[in-house]
Amino acid sequence: MMSFTSKSIEFFGKNLVSCGCSSNASFDRNKVRNYGKVNSKGCGNGARKLICCKKKNTTQYRVSSMETAEPTLNGGAQAIKDLAKGLNLKSYSETPISPNRLFEVVSDDLQTLNKNLQSIVGAENPVLISAAEQIFSAGGKRMRPALVFLVSRATAELLGLEDITVKHRRLAEIIEMIHTASLIHDDVLDESDLRRGKETVHQMFGTRVAVLAGDFMFAQSSWYLANLENIEVIKLISQVIKDFASGEIKQASSLFDCDVQLDEYLIKSYYKTASLIAASTKGAAVFSGSDSNITEKMYEYGKNLGLSFQVVDDILDFTQSAEQLGKPAGTDLAKGNLTAPVIFALEKEPKLRDIIESEFSEIGSLDEAIALVKSCGGIERAQELAKEKADLAIQSIQCLPQSVYRLALEDMVTYNLQRIA
Ligand code: IPE
Ligand code: IPE
Ligand code: MG
Ligand code: MG
């Protein structure tokens, strides 16, 4: 059995830009087969091949490298482990990836989604409409619906579908609605006053309205979900809504707890973040009619990307400003939410425990704790953890055909890591 581990070494969008062609209009997203013959050239290290795809009748190329190690019965597991170890941060593209370019191949889908989101929130109550508008119009990266579209198109292609379906589109809308509801509630719990660069819903309309608006959006998304009439997807996504609550409860009940272990942190992160992303990518594959092998791989991709994403978010809370993030910075530790950088730092620096357990009662002790987390390698070890999960995500999508969609899914993983590079 051949195992592929392909790493993009050049971002396709770069070719679009360098050819002076900034729109994706010239690329028929349903006809990725149009890419000409795949030429392989050995690049001297034995197992890695450069793959160069030329688009028919154009001068545009996409270059990627493909691992062609063939695990044997005896050496297979070891080969996969070596492969995973070998994927260090440097092996990810160093060309900065912007979110706009990243989602270029599904930009039309995202535009339609934005229009539809406004109409499906459609609450009867004017206060709820204003609350929903406040957060939807504030923007957001639309990463989850973009993932739905990318997996939908990649798996549709795999199964020979002409186009994605109305159900794929509705799934993307439901997912963004659920994500937005979770942000409204999360901001109430975190007492955050800024989200997507704007005032939070509870800050603007009060906690009662924020709780109700979040509930309303969860309920509304459940209604749309039920109308998709797919029991597998209904079970998958209703579990996610339950997971959010479990994640928030877990977090709230372990504040300032210096005995919290890395695996507990990862479980909480799965509940709060990875569960929804995994359901997005798996649900998309289900609606293409994929077999369980593919749907599970898509689930693994979403789960590991989600974990990597949360670890990166937790690092950024230490390293970036509120202006850069569009939400408050440096508040996780202040509020006692001990994330990956702190958990790693606690292993090295016993003094940190005393400061955290005192709940920063002494003036200057929070700054001291932040400095300790940074000086004893907490950030670097968290970076390694984010990369470990990223590598697993990349491995899971090697079952997809080489296409602009798979490349964008790989670039999504790289983009996330680049945020902390
Ligand atoms: C924020 O998610 C919550 C986390 C999982 C860290 P995003 O960073 O995707 O938020 P928006 O949608 O772009 O605002
Ligand atoms: C992210 O948790 C998951 C959610 C359910 C919102 P965070 O608490 O880290 O999210 P931010 O940092 O507030 O966006
Ligand atoms: Mg939060
Ligand atoms: Mg956060």
Side-chain angles (χ1 to χ4, degrees):
M1 197 185 74
M2 176 108 58
S3 128
F4 291 111
T5 312
S6 162
K7 276 300 307 120
S8 152
I9 59 168
E10 187 162 350
F11 180 53
F12 186 49
K14 194 174 151 195
N15 291 321
L16 286 176
V17 171
S18 64
C19 293
C21 173
S22 60
S23 145
N24 68 335
S26 59
F27 291 86
D28 184 340
R29 65 168 52 89
N30 300 313
K31 290 183 185 142
V32 178
R33 285 174 217 87
N34 271 354
Y35 282 93
K37 250 192 342 202
V38 171
N39 302 313
S40 320
K41 266 188 192 168
C43 61
N45 66 355
R48 190 168 281 274
K49 280 183 175 180
L50 282 185
I51 304 296
C52 178
C53 306
K54 179 179 181 295
K55 194 191 173 211
K56 231 181 188 173
N57 306 326
T58 71
T59 53
Q60 293 165 7
Y61 289 88
R62 196 187 76 220
V63 185
S64 55
S65 75
M66 182 180 276
E67 200 73 53
T68 55
E70 276 186 346
T72 60
L73 272 182
N74 295 330
Q78 192 54 46
I80 289 169
K81 271 190 202 154
D82 291 346
L83 221 61
K85 258 206 236 156
L87 285 169
N88 55 41
L89 203 56
K90 285 203 183 88
S91 73
Y92 286 89
S93 169
E94 281 168 17
T95 311
I97 298 174
S98 82
N100 288 347
R101 272 205 352 227
L102 184 57
F103 300 146
E104 201 157 21
V105 287
V106 290
S107 61
D108 292 351
D109 295 329
L110 288 173
Q111 253 177 36
T112 313
L113 169 117
N114 283 335
K115 272 189 225 137
N116 289 350
L117 273 180
Q118 315 239 317
S119 59
I120 68 168
V121 169
E124 294 82 28
N125 188 314
V127 182
L128 294 188
I129 296 178
S130 312
E133 259 176 26
Q134 165 73 8
I135 187 156
F136 273 123
S137 66
K141 295 181 282 300
R142 304 287 192 255
M143 173 183 101
R144 293 155 193 79
L147 289 171
V148 170
F149 291 128
L150 290 171
V151 173
S152 300
R153 293 201 172 276
T155 50
E157 192 198 30
L158 186 65
L159 285 138
L161 301 185
E162 279 283 295
D163 199 352
I164 62 168
T165 65
V166 176
K167 291 197 177 189
H168 284 122
R169 292 186 187 283
R170 195 31 71 91
L171 176 68
E173 290 153 14
I174 291 168
I175 297 279
E176 185 63 14
M177 221 196 301
I178 292 177
H179 166 60
T180 307
S182 81
L183 293 182
I184 298 175
H185 281 183
D186 186 69
D187 287 338
V188 171
L189 292 162
D190 289 352
E191 299 171 316
S192 295
D193 51 12
L194 196 67
R195 171 68 66 182
R196 295 172 170 172
K198 283 196 173 181
E199 247 184 313
T200 49
V201 173
H202 73 93
Q203 186 75 8
M204 196 147 174
F205 301 94
T207 302
R208 283 184 198 189
V209 170
V211 170
L212 289 172
D215 284 351
F216 182 86
M217 281 160 72
F218 277 130
Q220 185 88 331
S221 52
S222 302
W223 167 252
Y224 283 108
L225 179 63
N227 279 287
L228 289 177
E229 295 185 345
N230 181 308
I231 195 71
E232 189 180 0
V233 176
I234 291 174
K235 282 185 179 174
L236 185 69
I237 308 238
S238 44
Q239 178 72 39
V240 170
I241 299 177
K242 191 181 119 190
D243 288 344
F244 277 133
S246 305
E248 293 289 8
I249 292 166
K250 248 185 178 310
Q251 185 171 306
S253 53
S254 59
L255 297 179
F256 297 103
D257 177 3
C258 291
D259 292 319
V260 72
Q261 298 295 308
L262 188 68
D263 56 353
E264 292 171 280
Y265 161 80
L266 286 172
I267 292 170
K268 181 210 76 179
S269 301
Y270 169 78
Y271 284 147
K272 282 190 73 181
T273 304
S275 173
L276 177 64
I277 299 180
S280 310
T281 48
K282 179 175 174 176
V286 170
F287 280 133
S288 296
S290 312
D291 65 33
S292 59
N293 177 38
I294 298 289
T295 59
E296 282 320 304
K297 290 237 165 74
M298 292 308 105
Y299 187 84
E300 285 300 308
Y301 166 80
K303 183 185 84 180
N304 287 303
L305 170 63
L307 291 174
S308 182
F309 186 78
Q310 185 61 50
V311 175
V312 167
D313 185 83
D314 295 338
I315 294 172
L316 293 177
D317 195 72
F318 278 93
T319 59
Q320 289 204 328
S321 65
E323 206 179 30
Q324 287 168 307
L325 294 174
K327 60 187 183 185
T331 52
D332 285 340
L333 182 57
K335 295 197 185 273
N337 177 19
L338 309 189
T339 57
V342 183
I343 294 170
F344 287 125
L346 274 165
E347 283 175 17
K348 288 262 154 67
E349 185 49 90
K351 203 173 156 209
L352 190 56
R353 174 183 281 266
D354 297 337
I355 306 175
I356 294 172
E357 282 178 348
S358 75
E359 301 189 10
F360 311 114
S361 47
E362 273 179 41
I363 294 169
S365 61
L366 177 61
D367 288 341
E368 191 187 349
I370 293 171
L372 282 174
V373 170
K374 290 184 176 168
S375 67
C376 66
I379 304 285
E380 285 78 7
R381 286 192 61 195
Q383 276 175 326
E384 281 164 25
L385 175 65
K387 201 181 71 58
E388 216 176 272
K389 299 297 171 192
D391 291 347
L392 293 173
I394 292 279
Q395 285 172 30
S396 299
I397 44 173
Q398 303 311 306
C399 58
L400 295 173
Q402 290 266 18
S403 71
V404 285
Y405 310 116
R406 184 178 115 184
L407 195 59
L409 290 167
E410 291 175 351
D411 284 338
M412 181 63 229
V413 177
T414 308
Y415 161 74
N416 180 48
L417 291 180
Q418 283 183 351
R419 298 194 302 157
I420 47 164

